[in-house]
Amino acid sequence: SLYSVESSQMSSKQIAAFYQSLNKYIKKSGKISLNLFAHLPKTKKPLEMRMGKGKGNVALWVAKINPGYCICSVNTLFPSLALKAISYAKKKLPFKVKILQI
């Protein structure tokens, strides 16, 4: 299991990259349960637009992450494979995490 240590936000592209890097090692020898879903919209105005005229368009979707939140858990027959996959995939995260083996 992978738990967050600090609060942060994670975009939908970062979530996809994290999941792909986990799948690279696990493949079909285990199951990945990802507890992240980007459901908060972030808006941004176009460049060189004057002030006013309302809110901008949705630029990206983010997931809010609090300290102590379980990001994912990996279930495999080989604990060393799960540890290797998680340690590789945690490099894709923009915040500090802690690995807990249960």
Side-chain angles (χ1 to χ4, degrees), residues 1-2 18-19 22-23 26 30-36 70-75 86:
S1 296
L2 195 64
F18 175 72
Y19 188 71
L22 275 176
N23 262 342
I26 300 296
K31 186 174 180 181
I32 302 166
S33 61
L34 197 64
N35 297 332
L36 292 174
C70 179
I71 296 166
C72 75
S73 56
V74 179
N75 298 324
I86 288 176

Side-chain angles (χ1 to χ4, degrees), residues 20-71:
Q20 284 178 351
S21 60
L22 275 176
N23 262 342
K24 183 178 180 181
Y25 277 92
I26 300 296
K27 296 182 182 165
K28 293 186 179 182
S29 65
K31 186 174 180 181
I32 302 166
S33 61
L34 197 64
N35 297 332
L36 292 174
F37 184 75
H39 60 276
L40 293 171
K42 288 287 179 175
T43 60
K44 188 175 181 183
K45 286 210 163 193
L47 290 174
E48 299 181 10
M49 179 169 257
R50 294 185 178 197
M51 297 292 286
K53 308 286 190 257
K55 201 167 187 178
N57 298 328
V58 174
L60 64 137
W61 293 84
V62 297
K64 200 173 205 179
I65 298 163
N66 296 322
Y69 184 73
C70 179
I71 296 166

Side-chain angles (χ1 to χ4, degrees), residues 73-88:
S73 56
V74 179
N75 298 324
T76 61
L77 294 174
F78 313 106
S80 61
L81 178 68
L83 187 65
K84 191 175 185 181
I86 288 176
S87 62
Y88 175 76

Side-chain angles (χ1 to χ4, degrees), residues 7-23:
S7 63
S8 181
Q9 292 179 347
M10 199 166 167
S11 70
S12 58
K13 289 183 181 181
Q14 290 172 328
I15 294 171
F18 175 72
Y19 188 71
Q20 284 178 351
S21 60
L22 275 176
N23 262 342

